[in-house]
Amino acid sequence: MLSLFRPSIDRRFRVMGAGIEQRHQRCASWWEPHLRCSREFIRTSLRPCRRVAVLGAGRLLDVDIEMLLAHSQEVHLFDADSGCLSHWRARLGPRLGGRAFAHIEDITGSLKRWEGILRASRRRGDLAECLRGLRAVRPAWSKAEFCSIVSLNLLGQIPLYWRDFVQASRGRLSGDDEEALAASMGELQRAHLEALFSSGAGQLVMLFDSEYYRYRSSESEWRVEPALFGPAAMNCLSAPPQFCELARESWLWHLAPQFVEQESEGEIHRVEARAWLRKAGSR
Ligand SMILES: C[S@@+](CC[C@H](N)C(=O)[O-])C[C@H]1O[C@@H](n2cnc3c(N)ncnc32)[C@H](O)[C@@H]1O
């Protein structure tokens, strides 16, 4: 059904952020192994550096902020959810604005513009054509001087906000619209990877969901859904030649245990972690 109340992307980020926080409270013991693996991967693979950016910092659940502060002179936290600010203030106190910096922004740099294009195209009618024509810009953070960038479980999330916005504002989609929507989701992921690799950062650490598994305790098989679309799926597996891979790992995240979150099914994510170092002389 077409939603009468069409939430803006800003508001969706706040609502989704509050949802992540509440789900973490309900599922803390199921999430702990994933959060521990994430913090540990970042701790062991990130080399000390002057300025580090954390994209998708959220409520700082899956990253050890004290370790980042100990290993760098400046830590820049990015998230589109303005609800994160009070968490960052509570955790960092006066260090926020001193050695840690808050950036409440959409790290794709494209969602507001895409939202406007979609609203305007309503009058012209062809949703699929509009979605296929969307191109993501190079975001501002990728042009700033960071020595290390951590993309924190973001790649799979980036297109979901856009998908939800399109579905909420357009209601039921045709098969062609669905295909075009998946292509636009892939465009956001492609642009995120391109922005990471074309930034000047010497080190990149990326955690991302690659697949979603939905299960029922009464069934022996789970349903697999991809978290990566289009070229992103391939590009994540191999970095451009100017980077070498320092570390890679993979684990499962029991995100929504059946009977805790929903009676009908549960959800597990496959999480991938990669750390890359820029080869000397390749900038
Ligand atoms: C799966 S959560 C990662 C967990 C998060 N590090 C934490 O500890 O709460 C992904 C985070 O990315 C943020 N995010 C998703 N898409 C974004 C976008 N386009 N721009 C900025 N932040 C985004 C969400 O608001 C959320 O906080």
Side-chain angles (χ1 to χ4, degrees):
M1 194 182 74
L2 185 64
S3 161
L4 291 175
F5 169 64
R6 293 185 200 102
S8 70
I9 285 179
D10 285 348
R11 196 181 129 72
R12 279 210 61 79
F13 276 111
R14 284 198 301 280
V15 171
M16 297 277 278
I20 291 175
E21 186 177 343
Q22 288 157 10
R23 184 175 271 184
H24 172 245
Q25 283 162 8
R26 287 190 300 269
C27 304
S29 60
W30 284 276
W31 283 28
E32 193 44 42
H34 156 66
L35 299 179
R36 205 175 44 241
C37 287
S38 300
R39 291 186 208 115
E40 192 57 16
F41 185 83
I42 298 167
R43 190 184 65 74
T44 53
S45 57
L46 198 70
R47 298 182 170 186
C49 81
R50 199 171 63 76
R51 284 179 99 212
V52 59
V54 183
L55 311 177
R59 274 124 180 97
L60 302 174
L61 299 172
D62 44 10
V63 63
D64 180 348
I65 185 69
E66 296 303 331
M67 180 280 291
L68 289 182
L69 285 164
H71 280 70
S72 57
Q73 288 163 26
E74 286 182 16
V75 180
H76 291 254
L77 303 174
F78 289 79
D79 206 288
D81 168 19
S82 57
C84 295
L85 263 180
S86 56
H87 289 263
W88 297 349
R89 275 195 208 105
R91 284 283 282 281
L92 292 159
R95 292 178 296 177
L96 195 64
R99 287 184 50 225
F101 298 87
H103 304 265
I104 298 298
E105 61 187 58
D106 162 30
I107 60 95
T108 74
S110 294
L111 293 178
K112 272 261 160 60
R113 192 172 54 85
W114 283 22
E115 191 179 318
I117 294 173
L118 195 76
R119 284 189 205 285
S121 87
R122 175 172 289 283
R123 280 165 242 132
R124 293 198 302 276
D126 192 340
L127 175 62
E129 189 186 323
C130 169
L131 290 171
R132 289 203 176 92
L134 293 171
R135 292 291 168 268
V137 294
R138 185 171 169 197
W141 57 264
S142 68
K143 299 174 200 158
E145 287 211 359
F146 293 115
C147 359
S148 299
I149 302 179
V150 181
S151 171
L152 197 49
N153 215 327
L154 190 61
L155 190 67
Q157 283 250 319
I158 286 172
L160 303 185
Y161 295 82
W162 170 244
R163 179 203 63 191
D164 292 352
F165 173 76
V166 174
Q167 288 174 343
S169 56
R170 291 304 179 97
R172 187 178 284 278
L173 304 185
S174 70
D176 192 31
D177 291 342
E178 289 284 2
E179 259 182 42
L181 175 58
S184 68
M185 292 163 74
E187 166 65 6
L188 289 173
Q189 292 182 325
R190 181 204 61 74
H192 183 63
L193 289 167
E194 190 176 304
L196 282 173
F197 290 124
S198 63
S199 72
Q203 193 182 5
L204 302 173
V205 176
M206 188 161 77
L207 276 68
F208 57 98
D209 292 335
S210 59
E211 287 181 328
Y212 305 133
Y213 308 127
R214 295 185 200 282
Y215 68 87
R216 292 200 169 106
S217 62
S218 55
E219 294 174 11
S220 55
E221 294 283 334
W222 51 27
R223 242 179 31 247
V224 181
E225 287 170 22
L228 304 178
F229 300 86
M234 293 311 298
N235 290 348
C236 278
L237 302 176
S238 56
Q242 62 271 31
F243 286 89
C244 60
E245 191 176 285
L246 275 186
R248 89 160 48 194
E249 269 179 42
S250 179
W251 59 85
L252 297 176
W253 174 15
H254 202 163
L255 179 94
Q258 189 180 6
F259 309 119
V260 176
E261 289 297 289
Q262 277 190 57
E263 289 298 305
S264 57
E265 64 173 22
E267 187 174 339
I268 292 173
H269 290 190
R270 171 154 298 282
V271 180
E272 300 282 342
R274 302 278 188 279
W276 292 288
L277 198 63
R278 189 183 289 277
K279 291 177 188 162
S282 67
R283 269 192 79 168

